[in-house]
Amino acid sequence: MSLYLKFTYTEKKDTRSGFGDGFLEAGRKNPNVVGLCADLIGSLKMGAFQKEFPERFFQTGIAEANMIGISAGLAIGGKIPFAGTFANFATGRVYDQIRQSVAYSNKNVKICASHAGLTLGEDGATHQILEDLGMMKMLPHMTVINPCDYNQTKAATLAIAEYEGPVYLRFGRPSWPIFTPADQKFEIGKAWKMIDGKDVTIFATGHMVWEANVAEAMLREEGISAEVINIHTIKPLDEEAILESVKKTGCAVSAEEHQINGGLGDAIAQTLARNNPAPLEYVGVNDSFGESGTPTALLDKYGLNAANIVKAAKKALKRK
Amino acid sequence: MEKQSIEQLQKICTQLRRDVLRMVHAVQSGHPGAPLGCAEFFVALYFDQLRHNPDFKMDGKGEDIFFLSNGHLSAGWYSVLARSGYFPVEELKTFRKINSRLQGHPATHEHLPGIRVASGSLGQGLSVALGVAQAKKLDKDDHLVYILMGDGELQEGQVWEAAMYAAHFGVDNLIATVDYNGQQIDGPTTEVMDLKNLKAKWEAFGWEVIETKKGNDLSSVLEGLEKAKSLTGKGKPVMNLLYTEMGYGVDFMVGTHKWHGSPPSDEQLADALGQLEETLGDY
């Protein structure tokens, strides 16, 4: 079966490279942008910035708690610190440091978290964090962003450098289709309706936006019209866009590379429950840890793919 | 700020102690012991050492700045901030009450002048202070960053991450002081978790270490801070081990962990205030 996709790609790249390239560009634009990394400069693609601005880059060693505190201090001194490490070590490991020194104190720190979710792959569950979005969105003052491809990650990185306040930016390791435009304007907190539809809305974030794009084509083959909305900003959530879409379609699916508990779906459910209760099905990890495997094998095993979004959409439709 | 005589500074110390006791007593909560022991340090710093501007600016550019990492000493810090002009002394009466800028532990969200980061969850302040010190270096600002930590606080692992970092980057525009009173909530540090040879530990981490053996003697405290200042700018971070007595200034509070987090009763307050002359006028 060959599908007609609304969004296509000619190249694949990792979203972490979008971060690395955006970070370098942000550094060239603004001399106050500084970087920190806890012994993962290569993995985070922060090397080009470090090479060009060695004075503005701080290798902290394997000491993430200290890195968060140093970042808060640099922010007090007027700098715009981008602190990078794996999503696991950027959140759970340093939750209290982020809570007190960054979020509660409202510091202009950008927590840049790579290798999030199952698509980290072979390293296994110790490194595949699936709870980070929930932890971060619970923190008052924190903005939470999870872009979908290389281009969007680069645009988001540039946007957060201009935004004043704490931000959690989540991205990943696998090579992934580049299907959004290079020249996009990234608006924090503004959902992007990528595909118009009328029967069901698919709200997707991160890598799952591509799967939603594929699912839309599969549903279309079966005569079902799906709307696809790219929720790159989990917090603040664009409630208006969510309500407007569900008012039209009457049911929805959320898709995320994250635990169902506490993730994007939960946030959408809150919005719907308060304003317009409607059937909602979740595509996400259901209260379990990950494991080793290739990214694709893992996404298939845990049901984070287009086929499962299609199933969820049909289920939601039946409940209308 | 005009330099004050030792006698004048001593009077401020006494008033700070009165403030702390009255604040904690009024809400029957808070931590009187450690700020009583750090009165000389707070006063020496704010009324003699710091080149600072009570017209508070968050970024602290072009001035010396201070961080309190052991945030439970808030009553002492609020008193010295108010007495040195950061906010009205009257406001001390709102300490720990609803809708106050004087939170139980220091916080920034109410925009209390003098506070740059929240503290209370221990072990985080040194990292933050180091970040500001590095921002100052990037900006070629030759002012200093000061920080106070508790000795029990050194049991937190993050402190040693920061200790290693400071020496690695040669953050020599920072003076850290440890309130070395040997006490923590559950008892003497030697019993709870022995710090052993602190001087050797900090030296081994690559710090310049001085000891201020008489931390409740104003002249010694000033001398120690001067010495610490003279050691800045030489490639190493500076540690000032300040030997204090928790509860100093009130005979029944001194030298015990019992008053770490317990307020005095009405009778105990009267007894304590009887030992401390009202020098600058109570709030």
Side-chain angles (χ1 to χ4, degrees), chain A:
Chain A
M1 180 175 75
S2 100
L3 287 170
Y4 166 64
L5 295 172
K6 290 284 175 79
F7 285 83
T8 56
Y9 70 97
T10 51
E11 195 191 350
K12 283 180 159 188
K13 226 172 180 179
D14 43 6
T15 51
R16 62 178 166 162
S17 288
F19 162 70
D21 292 347
F23 176 47
L24 177 63
E25 201 173 312
R28 286 175 178 161
K29 278 188 177 169
N30 186 341
N32 282 325
V33 169
V34 298
L36 303 94
C37 190
D39 196 31
L40 289 168
I41 293 169
S43 299
L44 267 284
K45 305 289 180 190
M46 296 175 100
F49 182 104
Q50 184 195 30
K51 198 170 165 207
E52 192 162 320
F53 306 109
E55 301 296 312
R56 286 158 52 191
F57 195 87
F58 305 97
Q59 162 67 276
T60 68
I62 309 165
E64 295 82 6
N66 186 45
M67 178 172 74
I68 296 297
I70 301 276
S71 301
L74 285 162
I76 291 170
K79 306 301 167 196
I80 307 170
F82 281 65
T85 182
F86 287 172
N88 191 24
F89 315 135
T91 54
R93 189 180 180 92
V94 291
Y95 198 65
D96 185 46
Q97 283 78 11
I98 293 175
R99 182 176 179 275
Q100 176 170 288
S101 295
V102 177
Y104 184 41
S105 297
N106 210 7
K107 296 304 171 210
N108 193 20
V109 172
K110 316 303 171 189
I111 297 160
C112 305
S114 186
H115 294 53
L118 291 174
T119 50
L120 166 58
E122 293 80 352
D123 279 349
T126 54
H127 288 52
Q128 291 162 344
I129 195 153
L130 294 163
E131 303 83 33
D132 56 326
L133 295 175
M135 281 190 276
M136 290 297 115
K137 81 180 163 73
M138 271 203 293
L139 289 172
H141 295 160
M142 186 64 77
T143 290
V144 180
I145 296 175
N146 183 30
C148 67
D149 69 354
Y150 170 92
N151 282 339
Q152 194 170 58
T153 308
K154 187 176 173 189
T157 306
L158 287 161
I160 65 172
E162 312 253 319
Y163 166 83
E164 172 86 25
V167 174
Y168 178 68
L169 178 68
R170 181 203 218 215
F171 42 91
R173 183 188 188 210
S175 188
W176 208 250
I178 304 178
F179 60 105
T180 70
D183 59 353
Q184 69 190 278
K185 185 171 175 330
F186 189 91
E187 270 188 83
I188 295 171
K190 186 92 186 130
W192 175 19
K193 182 169 26 161
M194 297 184 73
I195 301 173
D196 251 315
K198 57 181 176 44
D199 299 329
V200 56
T201 310
I202 305 167
F203 296 108
T205 189
H207 292 134
M208 289 302 106
V209 179
W210 171 256
E211 297 298 322
N213 175 48
V214 176
E216 185 274 337
M218 290 162 76
L219 287 163
R220 189 162 13 94
E221 295 274 312
E222 299 186 47
I224 297 167
S225 162
E227 181 147 301
V228 175
I229 298 191
N230 176 340
I231 309 279
H232 51 66
T233 307
I234 310 283
K235 187 185 170 195
L237 190 66
D238 190 345
E239 297 202 336
E240 205 180 317
I242 289 166
L243 292 171
E244 193 188 303
S245 178
V246 175
K247 195 175 158 195
K248 177 175 65 175
T249 61
C251 67
V253 173
S254 62
E256 60 195 308
E257 195 183 346
H258 189 270
Q259 297 289 349
I260 290 171
N261 281 331
L264 170 67
D266 254 10
I268 291 169
Q270 278 185 35
T271 305
L272 294 179
R274 278 200 314 268
N275 299 281
N276 175 23
L280 172 68
E281 292 293 327
Y282 301 87
V283 173
V285 175
N286 189 12
D287 203 24
S288 84
F289 290 102
E291 63 184 283
S292 291
T294 64
T296 314
L298 285 161
L299 292 177
D300 286 345
K301 175 163 177 178
Y302 288 83
L304 306 189
N305 54 23
N308 221 42
I309 294 173
V310 166
K311 250 191 248 170
K314 289 180 183 168
K315 203 168 160 196
L317 270 167
K318 274 199 197 129
R319 291 173 54 204
K320 268 215 259 194

